[in-house]
Amino acid sequence: MSTTTFSLEFKSETFKGKVNFPTGVFIDGQFSAGAEGTTIDVINPSTGKVITSVAEGTAKDVDRAVKAAKRAFTESWGLKVPGSQRGQLLNKLADLFERHSDELAALEALDNGKTFNWAKAADVAMSIGVLRYYAGWADKIHGQTIETHEDKLAYTRHEPFGVVGQIIPWNFPLMMMAWKLGPALATGNAIVLKPSEFTPLSALRVCSLINEAGFPPGVVNVIIGYGHTAGQAIAEHLGIDKVAFTGSTLVGRKIMEAAAKSNLKNVTLELGGKSPNIIFNDADLDLAVNWSLHGIFWNHGQCCCAGSRIFVQSGIYDKFLERFTAKSKALKLGDPFAGDSYQGPQVSKIQFDRIMDFINSGKEQGATVHLGGEQHGTEGYWIQPTIFTNTKPDMRIVQEEIFGPVGVVIKFEDQEDVLRQANDTLYGLAAAVFTTDITRGIQFAHSLQAGTAWINCANSLHPNVPFGGYKQSGVGRELGEYALNNYTNVKAVHINLGQHI
Amino acid sequence: MAKAVDLSVPSSNSKIRVHTGLFINNEFVPSVDNPDPINVFNPSTEEFLCAVAAASERDVDIAVAAARKAFRETWGKNVSGFERSRLINKLADLIERDKQTLAELECLNNGKPVKIARDFDISDSVGCLRYYAGWADKILGQSIEIDHKAKIAITHPEPIGVCGQIIPWNYPIQMWAWKVAPALAVGCTIVMKPSEITPLTALKLSELVKEAGFPPGVINTIPSLGPVGGASLAAHKGIDKVAFTGSTITGRKVFEAAATSNLKKVSLELGGKSPHLIFESANIEQAANWAALGILYNTGQDCTAGSRLYVQDTIYDKFVPILAAKAKELVIGNGFDERSGGGPVVSKTQYDRVWSYIESGKKEGANVLIGGEKRSEPGYWVDATIFTDVRSDMKIVKEEIFGPVLSVGKFHTEQEAIDLANDTTYGLAAGLHSTDQAQCHRVSSALEAGTV
């Protein structure tokens, strides 16, 4: 079976070099065409034009991948391979990410639209950190010995599930892959991974690195396919023991439903957010302005934990808005491969249209466009950093996740009231509070219904600190030691040493 | 005395360069006030290898000050877990790269076979460093509920500070790795005193510490005489914790010095007289293999050596000859000889000690089943020696010999075996062989030892 490949010579300011790698479905260590022989076009969001076509995977390919993963799990992976060896392979993969970091960053910038500099400094760097972090856990998956009585030895084992399905989004393609591979492989699972059909390139490049690192064939299988076909197939597959999904809350529900209806597979979800960012009068103003900017405009606002509702206390409101606006205006939109660009295009036409629709709804519902509110340029999917003021709580731009560079700035006076407003959402992914009164900061952090509470910072993550949602922002935690729980099944072993009945 | 010397590797043209100074602040320096070096010997040939600087109390002060400065400025809380992890992994990579050279040096100084040093000692050391590198960014505290309205409480594990580490001569590289890996992983700085009998690989490893990129002062290596450097570390008011591996008798001195100086934290890995129980249901072949390994590995120079063997009377006559045959298979010889499975004991002092125990065994009336005869050639050779018909009051049964000398006794009931096993002031390890699952658990619960 022959495979599609992708070849390109980059001649940009920030990256020059040739890439050439297979882009077939990656099953059992081999690239091939999909079962239906169809392909998916990959579009460059900077131009709206097709870069290449990659093989499309469908339900039949998922079947084949599950078989390969099951075989690998029983024969050459799982607990047959000691943790120290699993750790070494993960470290080897991290080494390869490091060696190819420029290439990976370039693919990310081309496919997703984020700038090369951000892709290298944030996405690729954190991916490497996450892989190394979980490499360190691989030989430390401990159960417990538990005292019951002298005639019994009781202990727990934390065993891998077996074959796990993983479905990742397009906003941080490479990094989301690393967040998934790390803990799943460290604990000994075999994987069927579906990257987003919008941003398949970096994942496909990683497949070759997985082979090069020395993972046995079938341990990691990657299928580019549509959510309603390949994604659905994974969620309802009887041969998959656990599914992990990162994406919208809407689709997350479908995953959980499919899991419930099929084999009650274990489910973890990382979903959307409408995270509040609360700035008190006594905040360090410049600190708050800079982090707030990062909170909503970084990654073009395409962040599940984006601080998209900015609550500013009345005493500092005017000053904050003035400085925040000035800094937002100064953000450089441009070619992702230009050295001075801060913001590239949104990832796709669909997202562009969605975000513009939200912006229009804000205008229609009577909010003030304080800054931006229009497309930037005529080609590609750039949207100006946009700030709405004078909003009402029931407006769509205040309630719903926009997933674009659109922030709403809301004045508040009373501490209790802003807490109520901040928590008045179906979401609960993250929250931030800016204040120099540390006691108040901590009390607020403890009262906010969010899986991550930032005090005097925002959008700041680490491989070893857990991340995940309250309420409809998700189930389970990624990163940190906590993520290991997503990929292990606890078995309690009872050994009778003398109890006769 | 800060110059480098080149040691010849037997049956090869290569040489190994060893720096003979004290390693402080990433540099090899002479002692400030001690002109008398430590003479280092090859135990297989009794030949002089080289002389290395011997740290005085003043040198220890300087090393401690360097470690304290590093802890305050470039290590401790100044370095993230990720960076500590990266550096420790780098060190592991370098040791792996240089494993042949390090193994040859270990063989020259300690006598153990090159292939064992390389494929066991060093392989284990690399694995140990990588294991603790993995922990470095996972040092977790707890958040603890007190009263949600009034107080939050968190525990924050912090590095203790400057650690004095004193290691023995039986596994020079491996003991070095076991000490530095966890200390570095949590952010401590180190003043390491390798054994004055086997300082060479610690000095060689110090070069790799610098090459890996550890800031100056994070690890300092100061060969020294035990009563000088060791005592000084144990009593030093600038050291927050001392970790010692060695004899119980010296361990007591370390503990005492810590108490009378500044109540520094102490951890001790001391001696053992570990019992090994062979029950009648045991797989005899396997049990004999493990029993032989237990006393002969590293020529018996192992704190966990299974030096007392008790065999159930019903299988005694069958088991003992099989054990003797297996013990005789071990070739003890020069470590550069491919055929050698074990080397000499490490020094003249140890040689005299072990032989005096063998003589006492004979004198107290134990039966020499195999071994017990000195060789005539140069080198500190002790061949596998097995005593039978032993009594509990014999020196060879009570005291740690630290050589390839086994005492074999008999028991009738399970309880008798347990009582014999536990009749010792030691409690490092214990072993049993049985295919009766319930017995395995009962007996392992009853044995008073840290590893069963």
Side-chain angles (χ1 to χ4, degrees):
Chain A
M1 273 180 169
S2 67
T3 170
T4 45
T5 56
F6 174 55
S7 267
L8 184 68
E9 181 165 6
F10 287 84
K11 292 178 182 162
S12 71
E13 177 195 336
T14 46
F15 180 68
K16 289 176 176 48
K18 288 203 179 100
V19 301
N20 182 351
F21 56 93
T23 55
V25 296
F26 180 70
I27 298 175
D28 215 10
Q30 307 274 351
F31 293 93
S32 66
E36 308 293 337
T38 45
T39 57
I40 295 178
D41 285 341
V42 181
I43 305 212
N44 180 351
S46 297
T47 58
K49 301 202 170 38
V50 175
I51 310 168
T52 186
S53 300
V54 303
E56 177 189 357
T58 56
K60 285 206 187 80
D61 300 289
V62 170
D63 265 343
R64 191 161 70 87
V66 171
K67 283 199 179 68
K70 179 132 267 165
R71 195 211 71 245
F73 179 73
T74 22
E75 294 177 10
S76 56
W77 195 240
L79 296 175
K80 294 232 165 21
V81 176
S84 55
Q85 214 172 305
R86 300 196 299 264
Q88 279 193 283
L89 287 170
L90 276 165
N91 262 321
K92 190 77 212 288
L93 186 60
D95 290 343
L96 291 169
F97 268 54
E98 212 160 33
R99 189 183 310 162
H100 296 278
S101 52
D102 280 14
E103 185 188 342
L104 290 167
L107 289 171
E108 208 76 327
L110 180 70
D111 202 359
N112 166 283
K114 65 181 73 203
T115 68
F116 174 87
N117 286 338
W118 270 120
K120 185 164 178 187
D123 299 58
V124 177
M126 194 190 189
S127 300
I128 293 166
V130 167
L131 289 173
R132 291 210 192 285
Y133 177 76
Y134 285 105
W137 270 122
D139 57 1
K140 302 172 180 62
I141 310 301
H142 299 153
Q144 298 177 328
T145 59
I146 302 163
E147 183 184 338
T148 52
H149 52 79
E150 270 306 281
D151 282 331
K152 172 175 280 194
L153 172 63
Y155 63 93
T156 56
R157 278 164 63 92
H158 290 196
E159 302 183 344
F161 276 102
V163 178
V164 305
Q166 302 182 319
I167 301 168
I168 56 177
W170 45 258
N171 56 345
F172 295 94
L174 184 73
M175 199 170 82
M176 291 292 99
M177 189 180 192
W179 283 27
K180 294 282 184 284
L181 294 184
L185 293 174
T187 48
N189 293 280
I191 297 169
V192 177
L193 175 80
K194 189 197 93 60
S196 166
E197 62 270 32
F198 291 101
T199 52
L201 296 182
S202 55
L204 289 167
R205 182 68 185 94
V206 169
C207 292
S208 300
L209 300 182
I210 284 170
N211 276 349
E212 197 180 334
F215 285 91
V219 171
V220 180
N221 306 276
V222 174
I223 292 176
I224 310 299
Y226 294 105
H228 63 276
T229 52
Q232 183 70 19
I234 288 172
E236 61 192 24
H237 207 288
L238 297 178
I240 289 180
D241 304 301
K242 184 265 164 27
V243 66
F245 169 82
T246 299
S248 68
T249 296
L250 192 76
V251 177
R253 287 176 181 283
K254 294 194 184 143
I255 302 281
M256 198 182 236
E257 204 181 314
K261 287 187 170 146
S262 57
N263 62 346
L264 278 174
K265 56 173 64 57
N266 186 289
V267 179
T268 47
L269 305 170
E270 282 279 354
L271 307 176
K274 191 73 182 181
S275 303
N277 182 359
I278 303 161
I279 298 158
F280 284 96
N281 287 336
D282 69 351
D284 176 331
L285 184 58
D286 286 321
L287 191 78
V289 165
N290 290 336
W291 281 107
S292 299
L293 204 75
H294 182 66
I296 184 54
F297 294 128
W298 179 55
N299 212 45
H300 324 173
Q302 299 169 136
C303 245
C304 45
C305 51
S308 46
R309 292 182 294 149
I310 302 169
F311 295 94
V312 187
Q313 204 167 25
S314 59
I316 203 183
Y317 182 89
D318 291 333
K319 259 220 182 99
F320 175 87
L321 188 59
E322 185 192 326
R323 289 194 202 179
F324 182 61
T325 306
K327 291 230 159 154
S328 305
K329 255 197 191 134
L331 294 173
K332 180 100 174 29
L333 274 62
D335 171 11
F337 288 92
D340 62 348
S341 292
Y342 174 86
Q343 181 179 327
Q346 306 303 126
V347 77
S348 68
K349 181 84 171 58
I350 295 176
Q351 285 304 117
F352 175 87
D353 288 342
R354 254 183 73 101
I355 298 161
M356 290 311 298
D357 182 61
F358 273 111
I359 291 175
N360 290 331
S361 86
K363 293 173 182 172
E364 275 158 32
Q365 289 189 304
T368 303
V369 180
H370 185 81
L371 181 74
E374 305 294 338
Q375 179 178 14
H376 170 88
T378 49
E379 197 194 30
Y381 312 129
W382 278 265
I383 294 180
Q384 298 170 343
T386 299
I387 298 172
F388 278 103
T389 54
N390 300 319
T391 58
K392 290 204 184 57
D394 60 349
M395 289 180 178
R396 286 186 63 208
I397 54 171
V398 181
Q399 293 274 320
E400 299 178 42
E401 185 180 38
I402 300 172
F403 227 66
V406 182
V408 303
V409 180
I410 301 169
K411 193 187 293 191
F412 78 92
E413 184 51 60
D414 176 58
Q415 191 166 300
E416 289 307 313
D417 176 54
V418 78
L419 181 63
R420 188 196 52 75
Q421 284 191 66
N423 284 337
D424 182 21
T425 165
L426 298 171
Y427 292 112
L429 191 52
V433 57
F434 288 84
T435 173
T436 47
D437 177 348
I438 191 62
T439 303
R440 168 161 64 187
I442 294 173
Q443 281 168 339
F444 245 69
H446 292 192
S447 309
L448 287 161
Q449 292 161 358
T452 293
W454 283 300
I455 301 175
N456 291 328
C457 57
N459 264 358
S460 175
L461 298 180
H462 309 270
N464 50 357
V465 181
F467 177 81
Y470 276 39
K471 306 193 300 195
Q472 295 189 31
S473 284
V475 173
R477 290 292 174 272
E478 295 198 282
L479 302 182
E481 183 181 2
Y482 294 79
L484 301 173
N485 296 333
N486 298 342
Y487 294 100
T488 47
N489 232 344
V490 178
K491 172 184 293 172
V493 180
H494 301 242
I495 304 179
N496 184 5
L497 299 169
Q499 194 181 3
H500 295 281
I501 59 164
Chain B
M1 179 72 55
K3 61 179 170 46
V5 296
D6 289 325
L7 300 178
S8 298
V9 177
S11 46
S12 113
N13 284 328
S14 62
K15 290 194 186 297
I16 302 175
R17 173 152 295 193
V18 179
H19 292 268
T20 61
L22 308 172
F23 182 75
I24 300 176
N25 272 331
N26 279 5
E27 299 300 331
F28 289 96
V29 296
S31 164
V32 290
D33 58 1
N34 179 16
D36 300 325
I38 289 171
N39 292 318
V40 184
F41 296 88
N42 177 341
S44 295
T45 59
E46 301 184 30
E47 285 165 356
F48 170 80
L49 285 171
C50 63
V52 304
S56 66
E57 275 186 35
R58 182 83 189 89
D59 294 311
V60 173
D61 283 342
I62 293 170
V64 171
R68 177 66 57 191
K69 185 162 194 287
F71 184 71
R72 280 218 184 97
E73 296 175 10
T74 56
W75 202 245
K77 293 183 197 177
N78 301 296
V79 63
S80 68
F82 299 115
E83 177 64 2
R84 299 195 300 266
S85 179
R86 189 186 71 77
L87 287 169
I88 299 170
N89 266 320
K90 187 78 214 274
L91 181 58
D93 289 346
L94 294 175
I95 293 173
E96 199 167 46
R97 179 194 71 189
D98 294 351
K99 63 185 177 183
Q100 183 64 26
T101 305
L102 286 164
E104 289 166 354
L105 189 58
E106 189 86 311
C107 178
L108 277 172
N109 198 179
N110 166 282
K112 68 178 74 201
V114 175
K115 65 176 187 238
I116 291 184
R118 184 191 59 226
D119 301 338
F120 291 88
D121 296 48
I122 290 171
S123 178
D124 185 283
S125 302
V126 168
C128 176
L129 284 160
R130 291 201 170 123
Y131 178 79
Y132 285 103
W135 271 121
D137 55 5
K138 302 172 178 63
I139 310 300
L140 304 172
Q142 296 179 318
S143 66
I144 302 164
E145 179 182 343
I146 312 290
D147 167 349
H148 284 303
K149 291 202 187 77
K151 179 184 268 198
I152 58 164
I154 59 171
T155 60
H156 197 237
E158 302 192 339
I160 287 176
V162 177
C163 298
Q165 301 184 325
I166 303 166
I167 56 175
W169 44 258
N170 57 343
Y171 295 92
I173 294 175
Q174 201 169 334
M175 292 294 99
W176 187 92
W178 284 22
K179 289 279 183 288
V180 309
L184 293 175
V186 303
C188 290
T189 56
I190 297 166
V191 179
M192 160 77 72
K193 187 198 94 59
S195 166
E196 55 269 46
I197 302 173
T198 54
L200 300 185
T201 45
L203 290 167
K204 196 80 182 133
L205 288 164
S206 300
E207 292 173 38
L208 300 183
V209 164
K210 181 172 181 177
E211 188 183 343
F214 285 90
V218 171
I219 303 182
N220 305 278
T221 308
I222 49 157
S224 182
L225 299 176
V228 177
S232 174
L233 285 176
H236 209 286
K237 297 230 170 93
I239 284 182
D240 305 299
K241 181 238 167 61
V242 65
F244 170 82
T245 298
S247 69
T248 298
I249 210 166
T250 307
R252 288 176 182 280
K253 293 188 187 147
V254 169
F255 212 179
E256 204 181 313
T260 52
S261 57
N262 65 343
L263 278 174
K264 58 173 63 60
K265 310 286 177 287
V266 181
S267 53
L268 305 171
E269 280 277 357
L270 306 175
K273 191 71 184 183
S274 304
H276 213 159
L277 307 174
I278 317 291
F279 289 93
E280 63 188 7
S281 70
N283 175 325
I284 304 252
E285 267 302 301
Q286 282 299 298
N289 281 339
W290 285 108
L293 181 78
I295 187 57
L296 298 178
Y297 188 71
N298 213 43
T299 316
Q301 300 171 117
D302 191 309
C303 46
T304 54
S307 47
R308 292 182 294 140
L309 191 68
Y310 298 104
V311 186
Q312 197 151 27
D313 50 10
T314 42
I315 51 160
Y316 184 91
D317 292 332
K318 185 161 177 227
F319 179 85
V320 173
I322 297 176
L323 173 68
K326 287 192 191 290
K328 278 205 182 119
E329 279 169 20
L330 178 67
V331 175
I332 290 184
N334 190 300
F336 285 93
D337 186 338
E338 271 295 303
R339 294 166 298 175
S340 299
V345 297
V346 81
S347 67
K348 180 79 170 64
T349 305
Q350 286 306 116
Y351 177 84
D352 290 340
R353 253 182 74 102
V354 173
W355 277 108
S356 100
Y357 275 109
I358 293 174
E359 292 312 315
S360 100
K362 292 176 184 173
K363 220 192 263 170
E364 287 188 300
N367 172 50
V368 180
L369 186 67
I370 65 168
E373 296 303 320
K374 281 188 181 176
R375 295 189 194 181
S376 54
E377 71 224 57
Y380 307 127
W381 307 109
V382 184
D383 289 299
T385 302
I386 298 180
F387 283 102
T388 56
D389 303 332
V390 299
R391 292 184 321 272
S392 299
D393 61 334
M394 291 179 175
K395 277 186 71 177
I396 54 168
V397 177
K398 293 202 329 203
E399 297 179 30
E400 187 181 36
I401 300 173
F402 229 67
V405 181
L406 180 68
S407 297
V408 182
K410 218 185 272 195
F411 67 88
H412 183 58
T413 65
E414 178 181 295
Q415 190 55 52
E416 198 188 329
I418 291 169
D419 291 340
L420 282 166
N422 287 339
D423 181 22
T424 169
T425 53
Y426 290 110
L428 190 55
L432 70 138
H433 291 264
S434 164
T435 51
D436 176 342
Q437 174 197 273
Q439 178 175 59
C440 282
H441 186 72
R442 254 191 336 265
V443 175
S444 58
S445 291
L447 289 168
E448 291 160 0
T451 295
V452 179

